[in-house]
């Protein structure tokens, strides 16, 4: 079994000059910590965390990792910034098969689109700080194909208000 947690970065500031450098706003930081606490409560610990190197995604990944006591370094993947679902699927197929459970922290629309593409669900949109978890009955990430993943959960901060 392989499990992927698709995580959309938290709420970020609006900037026209440099999208890559957009930082999280206070509400976004709080939401990332909240979601990290939810993951910790359910004893979720990934083998690895992959994150887009964009400031908002990397900061979200760092806040989540602190909450779940993840001790390893976060793996920054340039290809996760501004990527298509096809490119993300190619990235997933090349994940080391020694790993069982991975976090992918990235951006919309690709996070939502890849989640729908690979799962048995039609979710419409993963909101900021949202987590969509999919389990695949495969031995290798290379075996992951469209619509064969089973959605385990879909969680986001506004669900708890």
């Amino acid at each position: 079994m392989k499990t992927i947690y698709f995580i959309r970065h938290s709420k970020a500031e609006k900037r026209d000059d440099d999208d890559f450098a957009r930082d999280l706003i206070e509400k976004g930081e709080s939401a990332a910590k909240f979601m990290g606490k939810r993951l910790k409560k359910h004893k979720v610990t990934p083998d690895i965390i992959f994150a887009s190197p964009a400031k908002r995604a990397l900061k979200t990944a760092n806040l989540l990792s602190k909450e779940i006591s993840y001790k390893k370094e976060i793996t920054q993947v340039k290809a996760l910034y501004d990527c298509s679902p096809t490119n993300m699927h190619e990235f997933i197929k090349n994940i080391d098969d020694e790993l069982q459970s991975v976090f992918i922290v990235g951006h919309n629309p690709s996070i939502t689109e890849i989640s729908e593409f690979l799962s048995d669900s039609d979710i419409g949109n993963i909101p900021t700080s949202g987590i969509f978890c999919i389990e695949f009955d495969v031995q290798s990430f290379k075996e992951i194909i469209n619509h064969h993943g089973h959605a385990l959960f879909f969680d986001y901060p506004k669900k708890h208000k």
Side-chain angles (χ1 to χ4, degrees), residues 7-12 19-25 28-29 32-33 48-67 70 72-78 80-82 103-107 111 129:
I7 304 168
R8 183 174 172 197
H9 67 78
S10 292
K11 190 88 171 153
D19 181 68
F20 194 81
R22 289 173 50 211
D23 200 356
L24 297 182
I25 60 173
E29 289 183 19
K33 291 174 186 176
I48 193 167
I49 298 175
F50 296 111
S52 158
K55 189 171 188 175
R56 61 194 180 277
L58 192 54
K59 195 165 188 179
T60 299
N62 279 310
L63 291 167
L64 286 170
S65 73
K66 284 179 186 157
E67 292 298 328
Y70 178 81
K72 302 174 200 164
E73 193 170 321
I74 292 167
T75 304
Q76 295 181 50
V77 181
K78 205 172 200 174
L80 294 176
Y81 178 73
D82 197 26
F103 282 13
I104 297 177
V105 183
H107 312 268
I111 285 288
S129 305

Side-chain angles (χ1 to χ4, degrees), residues 5-59:
Y5 297 81
F6 291 100
I7 304 168
R8 183 174 172 197
H9 67 78
S10 292
K11 190 88 171 153
E13 63 189 2
K14 297 187 186 316
R15 287 176 59 172
D16 292 330
D17 61 329
D18 188 357
D19 181 68
F20 194 81
R22 289 173 50 211
D23 200 356
L24 297 182
I25 60 173
E26 188 176 324
K27 181 178 177 180
E29 289 183 19
S30 296
K33 291 174 186 176
F34 173 78
M35 293 307 292
K37 286 179 174 86
R38 300 229 0 107
L39 291 170
K40 185 173 185 164
K41 178 182 172 187
H42 295 287
K43 299 178 177 29
V44 173
T45 306
D47 296 320
I48 193 167
I49 298 175
F50 296 111
S52 158
K55 189 171 188 175
R56 61 194 180 277
L58 192 54
K59 195 165 188 179

